[in-house]
């Protein structure tokens, strides 16, 4: 395995180009959207999982001589989610062939439940940060809640507390005679200690400080600590993010009960998305409480909110909206452009691809 990792890292450009070419070729496999064909989807899923593992190996390449060569043995949650995404379409195809159209939703629900558990675990272990790409991308940006004045005050504190006069029971002032005398004695003691240390010892200490920087331990806050620090807006953020995580599972369970042609799952899913996004947007609104003034989204988190809104377009491709409105519009467009050379041919293939992809939940789930 280590030899394979070294080969992937040395040939990263070649590996990425080969993965892109192989992924593109899977769309040309015959009978890709036939319900009885598991082979093409299995090939696509396996290639996707191999590509995901290769990207993880490339991204975890040590970049510093001080980086430990020992890698973590556990599987990152983000990688687990990506592997589940690569595997879920194959699970749907196999379930449809073995159990039929109606009962395939049982395995799809189990897959979505597994993704919910992993995402909630990732949400907790990251200190309740926004899940980027549904948790497939690690959110490594740290919000800086400290103001410049607070940092300067913290830096000035050791300077003001230098000398023995500050800790003197009588609180000696450094500008009077006694304070200046005590400060001089303190400075003399510090200088004498530095002089008494051998030069080679100081040099070794400096080299150790450079080569072995102090480890910065970052402890993620618990849910109660996070809510107490962020206040009401923190509660809105946690609720909105949880609704985003639970939305696909809620939709699948309702489809499993009411069927794909029922409007009830469609409208409930839309409502969950709208309410959850409104809660996330409300966290950035101005508040009078000082406790809520530091809750701000990073650039990557703002981009994630835009991505989630773009996913709402997929509601046009979900039944019953698709069968009643979108499909009719696509077929009407196809008949209109069919006489046009070249354009009609590509439009026919594109519409055929969209109609075929719409039959798979995993392609239109947006989860």
């Amino acid at each position: 395995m280590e030899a394979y990792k070294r080969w992937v890292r040395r040939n990263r450009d070649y590996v990425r180009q080969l993965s892109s070419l192989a992924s593109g070729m899977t769309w040309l496999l015959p009978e890709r959207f036939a319900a009885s064909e598991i082979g093409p989807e299995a090939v696509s899923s396996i290639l996707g999982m191999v590509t995901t593992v290769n990207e993880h190996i490339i991204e975890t390449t040590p970049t510093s001589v001080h980086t430990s060569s020992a890698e973590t043995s556990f599987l990152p949650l983000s990688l687990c989610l990506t592997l589940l995404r690569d595997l879920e379409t194959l699970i749907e195809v196999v379930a449809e062939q073995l159990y039929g159209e109606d009962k395939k939703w049982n395995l799809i629900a189990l897959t979505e439940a597994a993704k919910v558990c992993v995402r909630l675990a990732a949400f907790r272990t990251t200190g309740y940060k926004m899940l980027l790409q549904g948790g497939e991308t690690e959110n490594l940006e740290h919000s800086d809640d400290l103001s410049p004045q607070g940092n300067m005050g913290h830096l000035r504190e050791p300077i003001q507390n230098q000398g023995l006069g500050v800790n003197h029971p009588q609180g000696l002032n450094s500008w009077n005679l006694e304070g200046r005398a005590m400060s001089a004695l303190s400075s003399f003691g510090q200088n004498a200690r530095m002089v008494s240390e051998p030069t080679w010892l100081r040099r070794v200490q400096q080299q150790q400080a450079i080569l072995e920087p102090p480890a910065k331990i970052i402890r993620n806050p618990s849910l109660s600590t996070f809510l107490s620090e962020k206040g009401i807006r923190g509660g809105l953020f946690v609720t909105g993010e949880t609704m985003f995580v639970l939305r696909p599972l809620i939709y699948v369970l309702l489809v499993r009960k009411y069927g794909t042609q029922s409007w009830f799952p469609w409208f409930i899913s839309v409502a969950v998305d709208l309410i959850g996004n409104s809660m996330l947007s409300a966290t950035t609104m101005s508040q009078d409480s000082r406790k809520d003034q530091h809750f701000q989204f990073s650039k990557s988190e703002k981009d994630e909110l835009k991505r989630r809104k773009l996913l709402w377009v997929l509601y046009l491709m979900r039944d019953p909206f698709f069968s009643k409105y979108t499909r009719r519009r696509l077929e009407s467009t196809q008949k209109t452009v069919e006489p046009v050379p070249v354009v009609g041919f590509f439009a026919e293939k594109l519409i055929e691809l969209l109609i075929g992809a719409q039959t798979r939940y995993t392609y239109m789930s947006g989860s």
Side-chain angles (χ1 to χ4, degrees):
M1 189 62 183
E2 292 299 328
Y4 178 74
K5 290 181 180 180
R6 290 193 296 269
W7 182 84
V8 170
R9 288 164 179 169
R10 284 198 304 265
N11 304 276
R12 61 181 64 190
D13 294 334
Y14 172 75
V15 169
R16 284 171 172 168
Q17 292 176 3
L18 185 62
S19 299
S20 300
L21 178 62
S23 298
M25 294 296 292
T26 56
W27 290 95
L28 303 178
L29 292 174
E31 302 294 333
R32 177 174 174 81
F33 295 107
S36 60
E37 286 293 331
I38 300 178
E41 201 59 60
V43 173
S44 178
S45 298
I46 293 173
L47 287 176
M49 295 174 69
V50 171
T51 301
T52 299
V53 173
N54 289 338
E55 286 296 325
H56 175 69
I57 293 174
I58 293 173
E59 291 175 358
T60 55
T61 302
T63 57
S64 173
V65 295
H66 304 304
T67 304
S68 176
S69 59
E71 298 181 4
T72 55
S73 58
F74 65 93
L75 204 62
L77 296 177
S78 58
L79 182 60
C80 292
L81 287 171
T82 307
L83 293 176
L84 277 174
R85 176 178 56 81
D86 294 331
L87 195 61
E88 61 184 358
T89 305
L90 178 60
I91 294 175
E92 179 181 358
V93 174
V94 173
E96 184 175 351
Q97 181 170 349
L98 295 180
Y99 304 106
E101 177 66 24
D102 295 332
K103 293 185 178 180
K104 75 174 185 179
W105 294 101
N106 295 330
L107 281 180
I108 295 177
L110 290 177
T111 305
E112 290 293 350
K115 292 166 66 176
V116 165
C117 294
V118 177
R119 281 173 176 161
L120 290 178
F123 187 46
R124 180 179 179 275
T125 55
T126 56
Y128 302 99
K129 294 181 181 179
M130 182 178 293
L131 298 175
L132 305 181
Q133 298 290 329
E136 296 179 18
T137 302
E138 295 184 3
N139 191 347
L140 300 178
E141 297 189 21
H142 300 281
S143 58
D144 188 6
D145 294 344
L146 295 177
S147 61
Q149 290 81 1
N151 290 336
M152 291 301 294
H154 179 71
L155 292 175
R156 283 195 299 264
E157 182 179 357
I159 300 176
Q160 294 173 354
N161 291 339
Q162 286 180 357
L164 301 177
V166 175
N167 297 327
H168 195 272
Q170 297 178 358
L172 296 177
N173 189 347
S174 61
W175 291 104
N176 58 27
L177 183 59
E178 292 178 322
R180 287 198 299 270
M182 296 297 295
S183 178
L185 288 174
S186 177
S187 300
F188 176 77
Q190 293 289 336
N191 294 332
R193 187 179 64 85
M194 293 296 295
V195 171
S196 62
E197 291 180 350
T199 305
W200 64 269
L201 180 58
R202 293 199 300 269
R203 187 181 299 114
V204 170
Q205 291 174 349
Q206 293 174 357
Q207 291 178 353
Q208 289 179 348
I210 295 174
L211 296 177
E212 300 178 3
K216 184 179 180 181
I217 300 176
I218 300 177
R219 295 182 178 178
N220 294 322
S222 61
L223 180 59
S224 58
T225 304
F226 179 85
L227 295 178
S228 63
E229 290 178 355
K230 301 300 182 180
I232 297 178
R233 291 198 296 173
L236 291 175
F237 172 76
V238 172
T239 304
E241 197 70 5
T242 304
M243 292 180 71
F244 166 75
V245 172
L246 293 177
R247 198 275 313 163
L249 179 59
I250 294 174
Y251 176 76
V252 169
L253 292 177
L254 292 177
V255 169
R256 176 175 171 267
K257 181 177 182 180
Y258 296 98
T260 57
Q261 297 303 317
S262 173
W263 283 99
F264 185 69
W266 193 89
F267 277 114
I268 292 297
S269 181
V270 171
V272 172
D273 260 337
L274 291 177
I275 295 174
N277 184 77
S278 299
M279 288 185 174
L280 292 176
S281 300
T283 60
T284 59
M285 296 180 181
S286 60
Q287 298 285 338
D288 296 332
S289 175
R290 293 184 60 187
K291 184 182 297 183
D292 296 335
Q293 287 179 357
H294 302 303
F295 201 100
Q296 296 180 354
F297 291 144
S298 63
K299 183 180 182 302
S300 60
E301 292 172 339
K302 293 178 181 178
D303 293 339
E304 171 64 17
L305 290 178
K306 295 178 182 178
R307 187 193 71 88
R308 295 181 184 181
K309 292 180 181 179
L310 289 176
L311 291 178
W312 293 353
V313 179
L314 293 176
Y315 281 106
L316 304 178
M317 300 297 295
R318 296 173 190 160
D319 285 329
F321 192 96
F322 177 82
S323 58
K324 295 182 181 297
Y325 301 102
T326 307
R327 183 164 187 167
R328 296 177 183 178
R329 177 64 65 180
L330 290 176
E331 293 175 348
S332 176
T333 303
Q334 179 183 353
K335 293 179 180 180
T336 303
V337 300
E338 186 176 4
V340 181
V342 181
V343 177
F345 172 77
F346 283 105
E348 179 183 359
K349 294 301 180 181
L350 177 61
I351 292 174
E352 180 183 353
L353 183 64
L354 289 175
I355 294 175
Q358 193 275 335
T359 60
R360 304 279 171 80
Y361 159 78
T362 50
Y363 288 152
M364 302 298 163
S365 63
S367 64

